[in-house]
Amino acid sequence: MTFLRRYILFPSRFGFYPYFWLIFLSYPIAIGFAETGIRRVLTLFFLAIFFLCYRNSYEITKLLPWSIAGQLIVCVYMMLVENYMALFIFIAWVVGSLPFTKRVRWRYLTAYYGTFTVSVIAAVMKLVAVTPHFQLTDRLDLLVLLAFAYGSPIAAMSVMRTADKSRAIQQTNERLENVIRQNERNRIAQDLHDTLGQSFSMITIKTELARKLLKIAPEKVDEQLNDVENASRDNLQLVRSIVNDLRQLNIAEVIINQNRNLQDANVTLLTINESISNSWPRQLQITLGAVIQEAITNIIRHAHADHCWLTFGQQANLLTISIRDNGKGIHTPRENSSGISGMTKRMETINGTLDVASSSEGTILTISCPKPKTNKEEELQS
């Protein structure tokens, strides 16, 4: 088993992808078995060499140049001897998808395109010699293969760049999540410093004063202890307020948390114009975030969807959020369901509305509320 993992099987981190491509080796293998004598032995031997070289070309190592060279040699043999061109597409995707530097990539592309072009010219000359009236336009299958072989490295590079961008976006989102958490910690620390810190300092001073007064003016101790008691009660209420505020998430935090739940349910979340909600007041975001959370929870539980879209809108005097899924829709109201009514009541607290449109293609939930006035707008009106 160790021998198989080290020399035959592909590294497990690549998953099923490399084995899928091996399906297309079945045709050249069939060509090899159809041959007889030494030609069968050579063809199957070269295909075995091709497999080993292809297996070792999924990573950039010291053996990679030899693996690429081995594949090119086999490709040339299969084209000129067995009239099979498609094997070049394997190496085209390898050359295009590996994370080379620009200089190294051009070397491999030059080697690939040069070898392929020379092989094509030689194969065409061979066909012309055998078939005097041969015209390339009569063989549309060859033209399609030529297009694939020439275009595959470019397509592979495009796929690689897209994957890199997606990975970069995911990493950026993770960094933003950490930034949000850190900002929240800083806000909590600042609140505690500005409020509880000052109040506890006052309690300490009052306690020390009461201890001194106990000896020189006992009648004034009760007043100081009353101040300490009142301050302790105020601090307790303040702590409860801070904890309650921490439990309430803004829109960005809700989306981060709910996206994890959607991923667990195999639902893809896409947002449009999400950044405009960052400037909305925190208390408004808390209310809208609670509605978004309830809506997404309903999608996970009942919609049977695989995609969910959040679209944010902002007009002169109106803020809107559209929550859409591609699930089965809402056909009949569920008994004892408080989801829609609960979201409607939340929206009423900010003078907002909630509209639901549903069909067999999914459900669209639209929430809207008046845009809060800024301090400058309030001053101008007053």
Side-chain angles (χ1 to χ4, degrees), residues 69-360:
Q71 291 178 79
L72 287 174
I73 292 172
V74 177
C75 288
V76 171
Y77 170 85
M78 292 299 295
M79 178 180 282
L80 299 182
V81 177
E82 299 293 349
N83 300 318
Y84 187 74
M85 182 192 302
L87 213 58
F88 271 99
I89 297 178
F90 280 81
I91 190 171
W93 278 86
V94 169
V95 171
S97 60
L98 284 175
F100 297 120
T101 62
K102 184 179 292 185
R103 184 177 179 181
V104 174
R105 186 180 301 284
W106 276 111
R107 290 179 182 174
Y108 282 110
L109 287 175
T110 301
Y112 167 77
Y113 280 120
T115 304
F116 179 70
T117 301
V118 171
S119 300
V120 169
I121 294 173
V124 171
M125 292 175 64
K126 178 182 175 183
L127 285 173
V128 170
V130 176
T131 310
H133 301 290
F134 171 78
Q135 290 184 357
L136 193 60
T137 54
D138 296 333
R139 294 290 304 274
L140 292 179
D141 57 334
L142 290 180
L143 292 176
V144 172
L145 280 174
L146 284 172
F148 267 97
Y150 276 111
S152 289
I154 299 173
M157 286 189 288
S158 177
V159 171
M160 181 195 66
R161 292 192 183 103
T162 302
D164 289 343
K165 288 180 180 178
S166 298
R167 194 178 302 110
I169 290 174
Q170 181 179 357
Q171 291 173 345
T172 300
N173 290 338
E174 291 174 355
R175 294 189 193 104
L176 290 176
E177 182 178 348
N178 290 331
V179 169
I180 290 174
R181 290 176 178 172
Q182 186 60 44
N183 289 341
E184 191 65 16
R185 293 190 191 101
N186 293 339
R187 186 181 69 83
I188 296 169
Q190 190 65 41
D191 287 345
L192 294 175
H193 178 271
D194 295 342
T195 54
L196 292 180
Q198 181 179 359
S199 183
F200 279 121
S201 296
M202 187 271 291
I203 291 176
T204 301
I205 294 173
K206 289 284 185 181
T207 304
E208 292 175 350
L209 179 58
R211 184 180 294 111
K212 294 177 181 179
L213 291 175
L214 189 60
K215 298 178 180 178
I216 58 177
E219 68 279 2
K220 296 182 179 181
V221 171
D222 190 58
E223 179 183 352
Q224 301 301 320
L225 292 178
N226 285 335
D227 291 342
V228 170
E229 181 182 1
N230 292 331
S232 298
R233 287 175 178 171
D234 291 341
N235 286 346
L236 179 59
Q237 186 61 35
L238 182 60
V239 169
R240 288 174 177 170
S241 177
I242 292 175
V243 171
N244 184 58
D245 186 49
L246 291 177
R247 291 173 179 170
Q248 297 175 322
L249 307 178
N250 62 20
I251 291 176
E253 293 166 335
V254 167
I255 291 176
I256 289 173
N257 291 339
Q258 291 303 311
N259 190 38
R260 295 195 194 97
N261 297 332
L262 288 168
Q263 289 175 349
D264 292 339
N266 295 320
V267 181
T268 301
L269 173 64
L270 300 172
T271 65
I272 302 172
N273 298 329
E274 179 187 343
S275 59
I276 66 176
S277 66
N278 295 338
S279 60
W280 296 354
R282 177 171 175 80
Q283 288 303 317
L284 179 63
Q285 288 198 46
I286 289 172
T287 301
L288 296 177
V291 176
I292 293 173
Q293 180 170 319
E294 180 64 31
I296 292 179
T297 300
N298 287 340
I299 291 173
I300 294 173
R301 289 179 178 174
H302 309 294
H304 299 285
D306 56 30
H307 276 76
C308 171
W309 294 266
L310 293 182
T311 304
F312 295 81
Q314 180 170 305
Q315 302 175 11
N317 299 311
L318 188 68
L319 305 178
T320 61
I321 302 176
S322 172
I323 308 170
R324 180 168 66 92
D325 67 72
N326 63 345
K328 65 179 183 178
I330 303 174
H331 301 291
T332 56
R334 295 182 298 276
E335 294 184 3
N336 302 321
S337 174
S338 59
I340 299 296
S341 61
M343 288 186 282
T344 302
K345 290 178 181 178
R346 287 183 185 275
M347 293 304 301
E348 289 175 352
T349 62
I350 55 174
N351 298 320
T353 60
L354 181 144
D355 297 316
V356 180
S358 185
S359 68
S360 59

